[in-house]
Amino acid sequence: SLSSVYSGGEGEPIHVEPITVPYLNPLVLRKELESILYAEGDVCLTQPKFVDEHPIIYWNMMWVFERVNVVSHMRGLCLHAASVLNTRQESSFHSSWVRADHSNVHMRTLWDNPRLHDEIGPPMYILWNQDDKQSTLVSALVTDRTTVSRTVMEQIINSVRCNDLVEPLKRLATERHKLKGRHSLYRDILYLAFTVLGRENIDQSAFDREYVTAYEAVEASCDSKLFLRCDAPPTQSILFCRCVFRELQL
């Protein structure tokens, strides 16, 4: 999904409702793009209406371009697209808007989409920041929890600091089973570590190696019902993709 924030003048930034499109496999994206070029010609890639007439193709292209670090003029097409401007008229914006181009558009590709948490509940990295604002006494008095407690998160972080992922896996798998959660154990632990310890302090390759070892040990010794397919360590294809694509942000 796309969440747009832009300035239409001297006042506060304008927040636009998120634009959501399905994700396309790059092979499918290429095929669809070739069909459009065959029907409309390559001039369509220079027109803002491309964003409105082919939103799935456009935003998937922006995602791919950002991941492979390709600079394109097409990023600037959204500045004049009706779907982004909504009912606002460009004439009401600051005069500099007319001269704005792709260099004035900032895009971020993220690990996670918080809007998906409405159904399955927030992951630990979001809970950590929420709990940090709550009273320790209030947190201690809560007995009917529907999310992972801060105590459990602190234990997980302490284990990560000691390069131990066996105990976090066991503890979090048990907690998730009790809470009927669905978050990936791998991502939940990794994102929490990024948030609390700082991404620059986490060697993700080393983390992955430790996770593989811990997962194999825990899976062999614990009830298989505690684990989901999404808990499995990243595959070789995923690791290879990391060598090609830019890092996602959290």
Side-chain angles (χ1 to χ4, degrees):
S1 67
L2 163 79
S3 294
S4 300
V5 180
Y6 59 95
S7 178
E10 302 296 337
E12 292 295 318
I14 299 171
H15 294 263
V16 181
E17 283 299 312
I19 300 170
T20 302
V21 297
Y23 172 77
L24 295 183
N25 179 294
L27 295 178
V28 175
L29 176 60
R30 175 178 174 174
K31 180 180 178 181
E32 293 296 324
L33 178 60
E34 288 176 345
S35 297
I36 293 173
L37 294 178
Y38 180 79
E40 303 179 22
D42 55 9
V43 69
C44 69
L45 300 181
T46 66
Q47 301 169 340
K49 67 178 183 179
F50 185 89
V51 182
D52 304 317
E53 295 177 354
H54 308 288
I56 297 176
I57 305 303
Y58 176 78
W59 292 115
N60 271 272
M61 288 176 65
M62 294 305 97
W63 166 264
V64 172
F65 288 172
E66 189 67 20
R67 292 303 311 277
V68 298
N69 199 22
V70 170
V71 178
S72 170
H73 73 281
M74 291 189 67
R75 180 187 294 186
L77 297 183
C78 66
L79 292 172
H80 308 287
S83 57
V84 175
L85 295 176
N86 203 354
T87 58
R88 300 175 183 86
Q89 298 297 319
E90 291 187 57
S91 58
S92 64
F93 294 168
H94 190 273
S95 58
S96 61
W97 188 272
V98 178
R99 299 187 299 275
D101 59 16
H102 68 277
S103 62
N104 300 105
V105 178
H106 175 64
M107 292 188 177
R108 299 170 60 214
T109 49
L110 306 178
W111 274 102
D112 195 25
N113 183 355
R115 299 181 71 206
L116 300 178
H117 303 156
D118 294 341
E119 296 182 3
I120 62 176
M124 289 194 296
Y125 81 92
I126 289 181
L127 289 173
W128 178 270
N129 292 326
Q130 290 177 348
D131 282 0
D132 195 37
K133 301 173 184 177
Q134 294 178 354
S135 163
T136 305
L137 177 60
V138 171
S139 181
L141 293 175
V142 174
T143 57
D144 187 21
R145 277 192 170 271
T146 57
T147 57
V148 178
S149 69
R150 189 171 185 87
T151 300
V152 172
M153 290 189 282
E154 289 173 346
Q155 291 172 348
I156 289 172
I157 288 300
N158 289 335
S159 295
V160 172
R161 284 195 173 102
C162 298
N163 297 322
D164 172 24
L165 293 183
V166 173
E167 287 305 315
L169 267 174
K170 289 181 179 178
R171 185 65 185 273
L172 191 55
T174 303
E175 286 287 319
R176 184 182 65 181
H177 185 69
K178 289 191 298 185
L179 299 171
K180 296 180 172 56
R182 286 184 287 163
H183 289 291
S184 160
L185 299 181
Y186 170 79
R187 292 190 176 195
D188 224 4
I189 297 173
L190 180 64
Y191 296 171
L192 180 65
F194 281 165
T195 300
V196 180
L197 303 177
R199 184 164 188 164
E200 67 281 2
N201 297 317
I202 300 294
D203 182 336
Q204 194 167 347
S205 296
F207 179 94
D208 289 342
R209 289 193 296 270
E210 290 293 332
Y211 187 86
V212 170
T213 302
Y215 184 81
E216 291 175 349
V218 173
E219 188 182 34
S221 61
C222 295
D223 187 349
S224 60
K225 294 180 180 179
L226 294 177
F227 299 96
L228 306 175
R229 288 184 61 184
C230 59
D231 299 330
T235 62
Q236 285 298 318
S237 59
I238 292 175
L239 298 180
F240 286 140
C241 284
R242 287 182 184 166
C243 298
V244 178
F245 295 120
R246 296 177 66 183
E247 288 188 346
L248 293 167
Q249 300 178 46
L250 187 61

